[in-house]
Structure formats: C-alpha cells, structure tokens
Amino acid sequence: QVQLVESGGGLVQPGGSLRLSCAASGLLFSIYRMGWYRQAPGKQRELVATITTGRNPNYADSVKGRFTISRDNAKNSVYLQMNSLKPEDTAVYYCYADRVGVFGSYWGQGTQVTISS
C-alpha cells in the first residue's frame, strides 16, 4: 500500500522559513515524479513545485526564488524548503506522486502551514 506522509508544517512569522518533508513507502520512489501542492481555505488546490525523476524542478510563479524542492531517492523522501514566507503561503500542503504518462497518482494527508505574526 502506497503511503505519503508529510511533516514539518507549523506556524511561522512572515519572512520566516520552514522545511517540509514527505516520506514515501510502498512504491518504487525513484521512478516517480514528486511534487507539492497546497490548498488555502476557500480556494482550489494549486501546484507549488514538482521534481522529476531526473531532479528537474518546476515551480509556481508565486514561489519561484523562495521555495526549493529536492528529493533523496535513498531515503524515499521529497522536501520543500520554504523561505521568505508570506501570509498568502498559508495553506495545507500536500505531497504528491505520479508517473508521467501513467494514469493515477498518490497523495499525502497534508500538513498545515500558517504564516502569521
């Protein structure tokens, strides 16, 4: 059974940093594209960042230059380093896994990130 378990969320002041982690199990991690999505209250879920099996990152315009996605295939984990956080980054952040050209995807349960003074 595939599981994606996020951690690292919390309450941070504007301008602060957080590092989210996602530990995957039950899948051959190295062949999956991994990503982070987020959903703020009253809004649709949106892409934050993805990283391919070749470690090529892709970012939403709203987080470029502030967030960095990375993966460690040896640890079956993907990370999201978030710097210069803004109140509008407040959302539940979800870990995501899929394979390009293959139907189906996996989601974690989400971790809350709140940016507030």
Side-chain angles (χ1 to χ4, degrees):
Q1 181 179 358
V2 175
Q3 283 192 311
L4 303 177
V5 180
E6 302 98 334
S7 61
L11 172 63
V12 177
Q13 291 186 344
S17 299
L18 278 176
R19 186 187 192 222
L20 304 184
S21 300
C22 171
S25 60
L27 76 171
L28 185 56
F29 184 81
S30 62
I31 67 172
Y32 279 80
R33 177 176 59 181
M34 302 299 297
W36 291 92
Y37 282 68
R38 67 185 181 188
Q39 187 166 20
K43 295 187 177 181
Q44 290 188 332
R45 192 172 296 190
E46 63 175 2
L47 169 71
V48 176
T50 60
I51 186 166
T52 67
T53 56
R55 302 181 190 274
N56 294 312
N58 179 55
Y59 298 97
D61 288 342
S62 59
V63 306
K64 280 182 181 177
R66 301 188 297 123
F67 291 11
T68 303
I69 188 170
S70 61
R71 66 188 295 160
D72 186 338
N73 290 347
K75 295 183 178 180
N76 285 3
S77 294
V78 60
Y79 309 98
L80 186 68
Q81 178 66 43
M82 307 187 292
N83 299 328
S84 302
L85 285 162
K86 305 175 181 180
E88 51 263 43
D89 293 319
T90 294
V92 178
Y93 283 70
Y94 296 91
C95 182
Y96 168 88
D98 74 353
R99 292 177 62 189
V100 177
V102 177
F103 180 77
S105 60
Y106 301 102
W107 293 87
Q109 81 289 349
T111 185
Q112 177 69 48
V113 172
T114 303
I115 312 305
S116 175
S117 55

